[in-house]
Amino acid sequence: MGRLLKILLITVFAIILLLAIAVFVITQVIDPNQFKPEIEKQAREQANLSLNIEGDLAWQFWPSLGVSIGRTEARIAEQEDLFAALNEASLSVAVLPLLYGQVEMDGIRLAGIEVNLVDGPDGANWELIGPQGESAEEATPEPASDASGDATSLDIPLTIPEVVVSDGKIRYRNTADGTDIVVEHFNLGAQDVNLDTPFPLQMSLRYQDQSDMRVDLNLDTVLAADIDNTHFVLNPMTLDANIAGATTMPVDVHLEQNLDVNLSDDTLSIKDLLLTAAGTETRGNLAVEALTGNMQLSGKLATQPFDANKVLKAIGEAPIETSDDNALSNIAVDATLGGEPGSVMVNPLTVKLDDSTLSGSAGLASMETGKIVFDLLLDKIALDGYLPPSSDEESADAAPGGGKTGGTASLSSEELIPVETLRPLLLDGKFAIGNLSYDGINASDMKFAVTAKDGIIKLTQATGKTLDGSFSAKATLDASGKTPRITANNSITSVQIQPVAQMALDDDLAKGIFTMTGSYSASGNSEKALMDSAKGNIDLNLADATVRGLNLYNTLVGGVNDMLGQFSGLAATMIPGQESGKLPSALSEDTKILDLTSKARLEKNVAYLDSLNAVLNKGKISGDGWLNILNQDFDLKIGMQSPELGSSKYLQGTTWPLRCEGNLEGSPAKWCGPDKDGFKDIGKQVAAKATQDKLKDELGIEGEGDTAEEVIKDAAQKKAKEEVNKQIQEGLKKLFD
């Protein structure tokens, strides 16, 4: 028995010794570099790669059995550009465990990996890798036979103490669209790698593209990888990134999450998400089903309150200047993700903006078509606080207008409408505002609806209540053709005009109840083109109104008094009870309008008032004129009738010509004046009629003429003729008597 045991021990020792000698001979006697030609040959035949192994192939025996390779370069056959390279690679296993039938890896190390991927109109360079021609047919793999048993892809239990990839670089270029992406400084480290149990993994890299966007990324996680079921869990996962190029200053992003990707089930889930960047913090959970198909999302995200200007400062952008220092200082978002498969919807969505709340739903109704939908309600907002602060340098006076053509020189010929962006837009949205205030004007119950399809954008609803009245509008932008075209119509009903005039002209110019309807059209893709083609029709009404600083009656009286100065002898006759020869002016400096109607048409930058009729508290007016909507210059020719001047039979039904011209931002007191030539003509006509009556009453002679002088001359001629005739008759009478 002892002898048998001794023989067995000697046999085992001999086997171990022979194995050791064999390994020693393999690693120390056989030069692996002699295999280079065969390796290069196989690379050409099987991969269509020209392999150049510049470094040495080397064996390692103790304390690990391994192999290493030095600098190696690969080029696609018949191409000079480098496709791939590595500086060093090594793989080793522990020697002693091999003697007991166990495989224990010491580590895998790859250094200086470089890959260059090029895509273009003729295809990608990586598509040329693999057997070509007849070799490709010969290399077609046979279908794998169904092996019995439950063997996995790795039958040998394997743990790798360390996997290290250092200083890797991958470049992707697309010669067709100019894409140039470089991933460099790629480093990966993993410890105790075992596909049956989770293991630590670290990764870092730098991403840079043709737009000079740069991302430095560091990942630290524990990875559980089920290769057979393509199920990967990163828990916990921490990602830190520094992003430069997208903003003025680089932004640090920190991400924590538990990530679960199951490609067999086609699902992804993110739990315990924490994302911080530029002073913002977002938490939540997210789940995705049908990851590679008709994707469906669910989950919830919440962004904690943040200050928008502090965020802008963190990314190096200029702050948003507002008249209220506290504006944009408290913004928060709460979003619940859901929707049908193939959509990305947020419902409900809640956005807190200082004292305002935006709520509703929004998202992509279809990821395939890209259709955007939203239905949102803003409860209230005071716009004044969000506007830029007023500047002392701003001038309240209007610049010289230049009449009808003024203001057009400032119109830009640059492209105004982004037609290429709008044409593929698919949109269906609704937006409502409960209450809005701006510059002292309040509006409520505002509702808007917009659609977009095939390059046609429609504002199908724009309604609201304001200033004791209401408004509505519709508009269409047709960008489907070569030249964009805009059509619109609107109506304003019973709106108090005083706040609008105050806001628009910075002057308490008028008050009253304003109503209008209008339709408009324009075509072109620049400010100048749109204005040059602008056309429209407007009907408006102003009731119970007052125009401040302008008294048309006083303007009329001033013109009449100037006229009376030229006909002072007839003043009492023309204006009974005014022996002084002058009419008194009204005490008020305003014009009271009981009712005004007007029809106007828009041509280019000018609104032509084809008719203007108004009933005043001291008369009636009618006329026409024009208004330049760019520079606010205007010119109106008005005819005014006054009942207070109609007490004279000579002035009954007289229409007095007035002329109003200037700029809406000018002084109303300087706008209007009498048409002196017109008033003079009226004075001549009145004087002629009065002279006719006086000659007839006192002398019994009827004179004819357009002026008093012509009437007197005609009367004198008639009188002289009458006297001559009388003398002739008397002479004949004496002769025959």
Side-chain angles (χ1 to χ4, degrees):
M1 188 69 175
R3 187 170 182 275
L4 178 60
L5 182 59
K6 182 177 180 180
I7 292 173
L8 290 175
L9 289 175
I10 292 173
T11 302
V12 171
F13 178 76
I15 292 173
I16 294 174
L17 180 61
L18 289 173
L19 180 60
I21 292 173
V23 172
F24 177 80
V25 170
I26 291 174
T27 58
Q28 301 299 320
V29 177
I30 300 176
D31 184 4
N33 290 289
Q34 65 183 347
F35 299 117
K36 282 185 179 181
E38 182 62 24
I39 295 173
E40 293 171 353
K41 177 184 176 183
Q42 291 298 318
R44 282 193 300 271
E45 295 178 354
Q46 302 301 321
N48 193 35
L49 290 175
S50 177
L51 204 63
N52 181 19
I53 305 175
E54 298 178 0
D56 290 334
L57 291 171
W59 297 110
Q60 179 181 335
F61 172 66
W62 189 266
S64 300
L65 177 63
V67 63
S68 64
I69 187 172
R71 175 69 180 181
T72 302
E73 296 180 351
R75 290 172 172 81
I76 297 174
E78 300 179 359
Q79 292 188 8
E80 295 183 359
D81 294 336
L82 183 67
F83 173 72
L86 61 82
N87 289 335
E88 182 184 357
S90 65
L91 180 147
S92 61
V93 297
V95 174
L96 290 179
L98 288 174
L99 303 178
Y100 299 97
Q102 298 177 358
V103 179
E104 290 186 8
M105 299 287 296
D106 267 359
I108 299 175
R109 292 175 175 80
L110 301 174
I113 295 177
E114 182 178 353
V115 179
N116 292 298
L117 305 175
V118 180
D119 198 359
D122 298 329
N125 62 351
W126 62 85
E127 295 173 348
L128 301 175
I129 298 174
Q132 305 294 308
E134 296 181 359
S135 299
E137 297 178 2
E138 295 173 358
T140 302
E142 295 293 332
S145 59
D146 294 334
S148 60
D150 299 326
T152 63
S153 57
L154 289 176
D155 294 329
I156 301 176
L158 180 65
T159 297
I160 306 175
E162 185 177 41
V163 176
V164 177
V165 179
S166 61
D167 200 21
K169 179 180 179 181
I170 300 175
R171 183 180 184 185
Y172 168 79
R173 289 179 296 147
N174 189 310
T175 58
D177 60 18
T179 301
D180 191 351
I181 298 173
V182 177
V183 177
E184 57 185 345
H185 306 308
F186 178 82
N187 297 284
L188 182 142
Q191 300 79 41
D192 300 324
V193 178
N194 190 315
L195 299 183
D196 294 328
T197 59
F199 58 89
L201 182 144
Q202 307 83 37
M203 182 182 71
S204 64
L205 59 83
R206 168 173 288 185
Y207 166 96
Q208 194 159 355
D209 61 26
Q210 71 280 355
S211 66
D212 287 334
M213 183 174 179
R214 189 192 75 242
V215 179
D216 290 318
L217 183 146
N218 290 278
L219 171 69
D220 189 356
T221 187
V222 175
L223 172 64
D226 183 349
I227 300 296
D228 293 328
N229 295 312
T230 58
H231 186 191
F232 307 92
V233 178
L234 286 75
N235 182 15
M237 171 183 167
T238 301
L239 180 69
D240 288 291
N242 181 270
I243 303 174
T247 55
T248 303
M249 289 181 60
V251 179
D252 290 324
V253 178
H254 177 76
L255 172 67
E256 296 179 14
Q257 63 182 3
N258 298 331
L259 178 63
D260 188 322
V261 181
N262 192 325
L263 298 181
S264 296
D265 294 340
D266 209 19
T267 62
L268 176 149
S269 71
I270 297 174
K271 296 182 179 179
D272 301 327
L273 171 70
L274 169 62
L275 175 65
T276 61
T280 66
E281 179 182 303
T282 300
R283 295 179 180 271
N285 297 283
L286 179 65
V288 183
E289 296 183 3
L291 184 61
T292 60
N294 207 20
M295 188 168 61
Q296 185 174 20
L297 284 77
S298 62
K300 190 169 184 178
L301 298 173
T303 300
Q304 300 303 307
F306 64 90
D307 187 320
N309 279 333
K310 289 182 178 179
V311 172
L312 291 173
K313 182 179 180 181
I315 63 177
E317 301 294 338
I320 301 173
E321 295 186 356
T322 57
S323 57
D324 184 352
D325 293 337
N326 293 321
L328 304 174
S329 64
N330 188 10
I331 304 173
V333 181
D334 196 343
T336 300
L337 284 78
E340 297 297 323
S343 68
V344 181
M345 293 298 301
V346 181
N347 185 14
L349 168 67
T350 303
V351 179
K352 293 286 187 179
L353 175 62
D354 301 323
D355 295 329
S356 305
T357 300
L358 178 70
S359 59
S361 63
L364 285 174
S366 170
M367 287 185 284
E368 181 179 359
T369 63
K371 183 177 182 179
I372 302 171
V373 297
F374 60 86
D375 189 351
L376 299 169
L377 168 65
L378 181 64
D379 63 342
K380 60 181 180 180
I381 189 168
L383 289 181
D384 301 79
Y386 296 93
L387 298 178
S390 58
S391 172
D392 295 335
E393 297 180 359
E394 294 180 356
S395 174
D397 297 328
K404 286 185 180 181
T405 60
T408 57
S410 62
L411 296 176
S412 172
S413 297
E414 297 293 326
E415 183 177 297
L416 181 65
I417 303 170
V419 292
E420 297 300 329
T421 302
L422 294 177
R423 283 170 182 161
L425 183 63
L426 194 59
L427 175 69
D428 188 354
K430 296 179 180 179
F431 182 57
I433 303 176
N435 187 275
L436 180 148
S437 63
Y438 170 63
D439 200 14
I441 298 176
N442 291 318
S444 62
D445 197 21
M446 301 174 68
K447 297 179 180 179
F448 306 90
V450 61
T451 64
K453 184 179 181 180
D454 299 329
I456 300 176
I457 297 89
K458 293 183 178 182
L459 178 66
T460 58
Q461 180 184 20
T463 59
K465 299 176 181 178
T466 184
L467 301 173
D468 300 330
S470 63
F471 66 87
S472 66
K474 293 182 178 181
T476 298
L477 167 60
D478 188 345
S480 60
K482 183 177 180 181
T483 302
R485 177 174 173 79
I486 299 173
T487 58
N489 59 76
N490 74 310
S491 66
I492 300 173
T493 305
S494 303
V495 168
Q496 295 289 341
I497 198 174
Q498 180 180 17
V500 179
Q502 179 73 46
M503 178 184 68
L505 303 175
D506 197 24
D507 188 12
D508 188 11
L509 175 63
K511 70 175 184 177
I513 301 173
F514 180 70
T515 298
M516 74 162 288
T517 59
S519 60
Y520 321 92
S521 66
S523 60
N525 197 7
S526 69
E527 291 179 353
K528 188 175 187 308
L530 289 171
M531 188 56 67
D532 286 345
S533 62
K535 292 183 178 181
N537 293 286
I538 304 169
D539 293 332
L540 60 87
N541 173 262
L542 185 62
D544 193 20
T546 300
V547 180
R548 302 188 189 281
L550 169 64
N551 191 311
L552 288 178
Y553 179 75
N554 282 349
T555 301
L556 172 61
V557 168
V560 171
N561 285 336
D562 288 342
M563 179 196 71
L564 291 178
Q566 301 177 34
F567 304 94
S568 57
L570 297 176
T573 301
M574 295 170 63
I575 314 293
Q578 297 297 330
E579 288 76 5
S580 64
K582 288 189 176 183
L583 291 173
S585 299
L587 296 178
S588 173
E589 295 182 353
D590 305 331
T591 295
K592 178 69 175 178
I593 300 175
L594 302 181
D595 185 72
L596 178 150
T597 60
S598 178
K599 291 183 177 295
R601 54 188 168 84
L602 179 65
E603 291 186 8
K604 296 186 177 181
N605 60 306
V606 178
Y608 292 92
L609 278 69
D610 294 329
S611 67
L612 174 66
N613 298 285
V615 178
L616 312 180
N617 66 329
K618 287 182 176 291
K620 298 179 179 180
I621 62 172
S622 61
D624 56 34
W626 56 265
L627 167 68
N628 187 323
I629 62 176
L630 293 179
N631 61 16
Q632 299 181 345
D633 283 354
F634 66 91
D635 188 353
L636 300 176
K637 294 179 180 179
I638 297 174
M640 183 173 180
Q641 294 181 345
S642 174
E644 296 189 9
L645 298 181
S647 59
S648 168
K649 65 178 181 178
Y650 303 112
L651 298 178
Q652 290 179 359
T654 299
T655 299
W656 301 89
L658 305 178
R659 183 77 174 269
C660 297
E661 58 183 335
N663 188 281
L664 289 179
E665 293 195 3
S667 172
K670 299 179 181 180
W671 285 351
C672 299
D675 184 335
K676 294 182 179 180
D677 292 337
F679 271 62
K680 187 175 181 179
D681 291 341
I682 293 174
K684 290 179 180 180
Q685 294 172 8
V686 172
K689 291 180 180 179
T691 301
Q692 286 176 334
D693 290 345
K694 194 166 185 179
L695 288 174
K696 184 176 182 180
D697 293 342
E698 295 183 3
L699 301 177
I701 303 174
E702 294 184 358
E704 301 292 336
D706 294 331
T707 65
E709 290 81 0
E710 291 178 356
V711 170
I712 293 173
K713 184 177 180 180
D714 182 65
Q717 290 176 347
K718 290 181 178 179
K719 182 66 176 177
K721 184 176 181 181
E722 182 180 341
E723 290 293 332
V724 169
N725 290 335
K726 184 178 179 181
Q727 291 178 4
I728 292 174
Q729 290 176 0
E730 289 178 351
L732 290 173
K733 186 177 180 181
K734 290 179 180 181
L735 177 63
F736 290 104
D737 287 344

